[in-house]
PDB file of all heavy atoms in Angstrom:
ATOM      1  N   VAL A 666      -9.014 -15.821  -6.432  1.00  0.00           N
ATOM      2  CA  VAL A 666      -7.682 -16.188  -6.901  1.00  0.00           C
ATOM      3  C   VAL A 666      -7.513 -15.627  -8.310  1.00  0.00           C
ATOM      4  O   VAL A 666      -8.479 -15.475  -9.065  1.00  0.00           O
ATOM      5  CB  VAL A 666      -7.511 -17.719  -6.867  1.00  0.00           C
ATOM      6  CG1 VAL A 666      -8.345 -18.398  -7.954  1.00  0.00           C
ATOM      7  CG2 VAL A 666      -6.057 -18.119  -6.975  1.00  0.00           C
ATOM      8  N   ALA A 667      -6.279 -15.279  -8.682  1.00  0.00           N
ATOM      9  CA  ALA A 667      -6.031 -14.626  -9.970  1.00  0.00           C
ATOM     10  C   ALA A 667      -6.371 -15.523 -11.152  1.00  0.00           C
ATOM     11  O   ALA A 667      -6.806 -15.041 -12.201  1.00  0.00           O
ATOM     12  CB  ALA A 667      -4.578 -14.166 -10.054  1.00  0.00           C
ATOM     13  N   GLY A 668      -6.161 -16.815 -11.015  1.00  0.00           N
ATOM     14  CA  GLY A 668      -6.471 -17.775 -12.070  1.00  0.00           C
ATOM     15  C   GLY A 668      -6.700 -19.136 -11.450  1.00  0.00           C
ATOM     16  O   GLY A 668      -6.297 -19.382 -10.299  1.00  0.00           O
ATOM     17  N   THR A 669      -7.325 -20.039 -12.170  1.00  0.00           N
ATOM     18  CA  THR A 669      -7.663 -21.332 -11.581  1.00  0.00           C
ATOM     19  C   THR A 669      -6.477 -22.292 -11.635  1.00  0.00           C
ATOM     20  O   THR A 669      -5.572 -22.163 -12.470  1.00  0.00           O
ATOM     21  CB  THR A 669      -8.852 -21.965 -12.314  1.00  0.00           C
ATOM     22  OG1 THR A 669      -8.476 -22.265 -13.663  1.00  0.00           O
ATOM     23  CG2 THR A 669     -10.052 -21.037 -12.303  1.00  0.00           C
ATOM     24  N   LEU A 670      -6.517 -23.271 -10.747  1.00  0.00           N
ATOM     25  CA  LEU A 670      -5.491 -24.312 -10.720  1.00  0.00           C
ATOM     26  C   LEU A 670      -5.516 -25.112 -12.025  1.00  0.00           C
ATOM     27  O   LEU A 670      -4.460 -25.448 -12.572  1.00  0.00           O
ATOM     28  CB  LEU A 670      -5.737 -25.242  -9.528  1.00  0.00           C
ATOM     29  CG  LEU A 670      -4.836 -26.466  -9.409  1.00  0.00           C
ATOM     30  CD1 LEU A 670      -3.372 -26.060  -9.295  1.00  0.00           C
ATOM     31  CD2 LEU A 670      -5.251 -27.329  -8.217  1.00  0.00           C
ATOM     32  N   LYS A 671      -6.699 -25.388 -12.526  1.00  0.00           N
ATOM     33  CA  LYS A 671      -6.833 -26.135 -13.776  1.00  0.00           C
ATOM     34  C   LYS A 671      -6.105 -25.418 -14.915  1.00  0.00           C
ATOM     35  O   LYS A 671      -5.388 -26.052 -15.703  1.00  0.00           O
ATOM     36  CB  LYS A 671      -8.314 -26.295 -14.113  1.00  0.00           C
ATOM     37  CG  LYS A 671      -8.592 -26.864 -15.492  1.00  0.00           C
ATOM     38  CD  LYS A 671     -10.089 -26.816 -15.791  1.00  0.00           C
ATOM     39  CE  LYS A 671     -10.361 -27.164 -17.248  1.00  0.00           C
ATOM     40  NZ  LYS A 671     -11.808 -27.037 -17.573  1.00  0.00           N
ATOM     41  N   SER A 672      -6.251 -24.123 -15.023  1.00  0.00           N
ATOM     42  CA  SER A 672      -5.611 -23.378 -16.110  1.00  0.00           C
ATOM     43  C   SER A 672      -4.111 -23.252 -15.910  1.00  0.00           C
ATOM     44  O   SER A 672      -3.344 -23.311 -16.876  1.00  0.00           O
ATOM     45  CB  SER A 672      -6.241 -21.989 -16.237  1.00  0.00           C
ATOM     46  OG  SER A 672      -7.568 -22.077 -16.685  1.00  0.00           O
ATOM     47  N   ARG A 673      -3.692 -23.071 -14.661  1.00  0.00           N
ATOM     48  CA  ARG A 673      -2.248 -22.921 -14.417  1.00  0.00           C
ATOM     49  C   ARG A 673      -1.493 -24.192 -14.737  1.00  0.00           C
ATOM     50  O   ARG A 673      -0.406 -24.167 -15.316  1.00  0.00           O
ATOM     51  CB  ARG A 673      -2.003 -22.525 -12.965  1.00  0.00           C
ATOM     52  CG  ARG A 673      -0.541 -22.233 -12.651  1.00  0.00           C
ATOM     53  CD  ARG A 673      -0.212 -22.439 -11.192  1.00  0.00           C
ATOM     54  NE  ARG A 673      -0.323 -23.839 -10.782  1.00  0.00           N
ATOM     55  CZ  ARG A 673      -0.102 -24.268  -9.547  1.00  0.00           C
ATOM     56  NH1 ARG A 673       0.193 -23.408  -8.592  1.00  0.00           N
ATOM     57  NH2 ARG A 673      -0.209 -25.559  -9.260  1.00  0.00           N
ATOM     58  N   GLY A 674      -2.037 -25.328 -14.328  1.00  0.00           N
ATOM     59  CA  GLY A 674      -1.340 -26.588 -14.536  1.00  0.00           C
ATOM     60  C   GLY A 674      -0.267 -26.818 -13.494  1.00  0.00           C
ATOM     61  O   GLY A 674      -0.147 -26.100 -12.495  1.00  0.00           O
ATOM     62  N   ASP A 675       0.543 -27.839 -13.726  1.00  0.00           N
ATOM     63  CA  ASP A 675       1.591 -28.211 -12.784  1.00  0.00           C
ATOM     64  C   ASP A 675       2.720 -27.194 -12.782  1.00  0.00           C
ATOM     65  O   ASP A 675       3.011 -26.554 -13.799  1.00  0.00           O
ATOM     66  CB  ASP A 675       2.158 -29.581 -13.135  1.00  0.00           C
ATOM     67  CG  ASP A 675       1.135 -30.696 -12.948  1.00  0.00           C
ATOM     68  OD1 ASP A 675       0.217 -30.523 -12.124  1.00  0.00           O
ATOM     69  OD2 ASP A 675       1.250 -31.724 -13.637  1.00  0.00           O
ATOM     70  N   VAL A 676       3.369 -27.065 -11.622  1.00  0.00           N
ATOM     71  CA  VAL A 676       4.593 -26.271 -11.518  1.00  0.00           C
ATOM     72  C   VAL A 676       5.703 -27.190 -11.035  1.00  0.00           C
ATOM     73  O   VAL A 676       5.484 -28.107 -10.251  1.00  0.00           O
ATOM     74  CB  VAL A 676       4.419 -25.066 -10.564  1.00  0.00           C
ATOM     75  CG1 VAL A 676       3.425 -24.067 -11.120  1.00  0.00           C
ATOM     76  CG2 VAL A 676       3.989 -25.521  -9.171  1.00  0.00           C
ATOM     77  N   ASN A 677       6.901 -26.942 -11.548  1.00  0.00           N
ATOM     78  CA  ASN A 677       8.061 -27.749 -11.174  1.00  0.00           C
ATOM     79  C   ASN A 677       9.309 -26.917 -11.412  1.00  0.00           C
ATOM     80  O   ASN A 677       9.221 -25.697 -11.661  1.00  0.00           O
ATOM     81  CB  ASN A 677       8.088 -29.055 -11.969  1.00  0.00           C
ATOM     82  CG  ASN A 677       7.872 -28.827 -13.455  1.00  0.00           C
ATOM     83  OD1 ASN A 677       8.565 -27.996 -14.060  1.00  0.00           O
ATOM     84  ND2 ASN A 677       6.923 -29.549 -14.058  1.00  0.00           N
ATOM     85  N   LEU A 678      10.466 -27.529 -11.350  1.00  0.00           N
ATOM     86  CA  LEU A 678      11.719 -26.786 -11.511  1.00  0.00           C
ATOM     87  C   LEU A 678      11.820 -26.112 -12.873  1.00  0.00           C
ATOM     88  O   LEU A 678      12.364 -25.022 -12.997  1.00  0.00           O
ATOM     89  CB  LEU A 678      12.905 -27.727 -11.305  1.00  0.00           C
ATOM     90  CG  LEU A 678      13.124 -28.225  -9.865  1.00  0.00           C
ATOM     91  CD1 LEU A 678      14.284 -29.216  -9.827  1.00  0.00           C
ATOM     92  CD2 LEU A 678      13.394 -27.052  -8.927  1.00  0.00           C
TER      93      LEU A 678
END
Side-chain angles (χ1 to χ4, degrees):
V666 71
T669 65
L670 175 60
K671 171 187 171 184
S672 292
R673 185 205 66 181
D675 294 334
V676 294
N677 48 52
L678 290 177

